[in-house]
Amino acid sequence: MAALELCGVPLRGPVLNGSGTFDAIAARRAFGDALFERFPFDAFVSKTITLEPRQGNPPPRLWETPAGMINSIGLPNKGLEGFLASDLPELAPLPVPLVVSVMGFSRDELAQLVAAVDDRDEVAMLELNVSCPNVETGLVMGADPAETALAVERVRSETAKPLVLKLTPNATDPAAVAAAAEGAGADAVSLVNTLKGMALDPETGDPWLGGRTGGVSGPAIRAIALEQVAAVASRVEIPVIGMGGIASGRQAADFMDAGATAVAIGTESFRDPAAGCRIAAELADLSLSRGTRPTSSTTV
Ligand code: RRO
């Protein structure tokens, strides 16, 4: 039974994954059907895809920080055709709704991606990633309200599926970007993507990451994410999917108290691939003990 509706899509609960932080195809190979019996998320968000295949950034791609990490992965993916031909058939049988994340280097590219994914019944929603810190376009489109509105306006007519806009925390005013997205027809916003950061090689003093800079995630950014989720939720009517360093049900509840309809788990899944199950259970216990039930009878 659906406990929640997000943009009209029934979900059994409010815990999603952050795009690119859980490889469901690899997990299926490792855990077999057990993964489907105990799938850790209530909807699955794919790794972001682009029109053309990409190799991603040169290594090293990760750096561990106190209470977090910096990634500079650089969007490696098979491209639209490769995704539709080989990844989508493997993701379609997942026991939860599928959200496909797309990123274009121009508005027309974004529109092409949205139109191609719109044709596929297996896909419940689309997420527009206009906020990757590791490619230049992400920052340009998603950091500016006017650019964001133009992007959403361009793709809106290409799909009737719900459009979720993934917001960057590297913006002067993320709530203004969210309001612009809402005004242009976005059905929901998700935030935060990673905060731009850097690490130096202690021996050389040069940038450690092959991409020079990267995106900071994990508990280190949770307080920043919480404030931005609260600011966005008080500015827009559309649902907000909150994320940024959530590692427990208590922390997930904080994001929901700040106005999020659903939450996403990212960095914590690298430490514990079953984190989504644990956090959902902790959140449900907390809701019952508080006498509120954010995972039941909630319609957005
Ligand atoms: O692939 C990446 O480097 C990446 C992406 Br697309 C994103 O949206 N956020 C991030 O931290 N890394």
Side-chain angles (χ1 to χ4, degrees):
M1 194 188 73
L4 167 87
E5 260 188 29
L6 184 64
C7 307
V9 177
L11 301 185
R12 65 186 186 190
V15 179
L16 283 59
N17 64 300
S19 170
T21 60
F22 187 91
D23 186 340
I25 296 173
R28 178 82 201 280
R29 280 191 203 116
F31 301 111
D33 289 344
L35 178 75
F36 283 20
E37 283 151 26
R38 231 176 149 245
F39 195 70
F41 307 107
D42 299 316
F44 181 73
V45 186
S46 77
K47 168 84 183 148
T48 301
I49 57 162
T50 51
L51 204 50
E52 300 301 331
R54 285 174 57 88
Q55 295 290 329
N57 288 343
R61 290 175 166 183
L62 289 176
W63 175 267
E64 194 173 333
T65 67
M69 67 181 195
I70 314 179
N71 84 81
S72 186
I73 312 296
L75 265 166
N77 75 100
K78 295 174 181 156
L80 175 64
E81 290 311 320
F83 174 79
L84 294 178
S86 54
D87 287 359
L88 191 53
E90 295 206 58
L91 295 175
L94 292 180
V96 296
L98 177 63
V99 184
V100 172
S101 170
V102 298
M103 186 265 182
F105 287 93
S106 67
R107 291 194 283 274
D108 285 343
E109 262 194 35
L110 203 52
Q112 248 181 287
L113 285 154
V114 168
V117 176
D118 177 65
D119 276 350
R120 308 301 292 250
D121 289 342
E122 312 91 303
V123 180
M125 299 191 222
L126 281 128
E127 183 170 85
L128 305 184
N129 185 353
V130 291
S131 51
C132 175
N134 299 330
V135 285
E136 203 49 43
T137 314
L139 282 186
V140 175
M141 258 193 211
D144 178 64
E147 281 292 326
T148 300
L150 287 172
V152 177
E153 277 162 16
R154 175 68 186 83
V155 304
R156 184 62 280 184
S157 59
E158 306 288 346
T159 185
K161 294 189 199 290
L163 279 175
V164 182
L165 212 81
K166 178 82 172 267
L167 301 179
T168 177
N170 306 303
T172 311
D173 185 356
V177 178
E182 179 179 43
D187 297 290
V189 289
S190 57
L191 71 153
V192 295
N193 205 323
T194 51
L195 272 157
K196 200 164 183 178
M198 189 179 198
L200 299 184
D201 183 329
E203 285 185 6
T204 63
D206 295 329
W208 170 265
L209 295 162
R212 223 181 81 81
T213 60
V216 187
S217 65
I221 70 161
R222 194 169 55 243
I224 298 163
L226 187 63
E227 188 279 332
Q228 295 200 0
V229 165
V232 166
S234 65
R235 185 84 172 263
V236 299
E237 299 288 325
I238 53 178
V240 175
I241 303 165
M243 72 194 87
I246 296 175
S248 71
R250 170 70 264 162
Q251 294 158 4
D254 285 349
F255 277 71
M256 296 183 86
D257 287 343
T261 297
V263 293
I265 312 305
T267 305
E268 182 66 3
S269 293
F270 290 109
R271 204 185 60 74
D272 170 14
C277 296
R278 174 180 57 78
I279 292 168
E282 289 171 1
L283 183 61
D285 282 352
L286 200 61
S287 307
L288 286 173
S289 70
R290 270 179 165 190
T292 58
R293 300 171 69 99
T295 62
S296 70
S297 314
T298 310
T299 300
V300 178

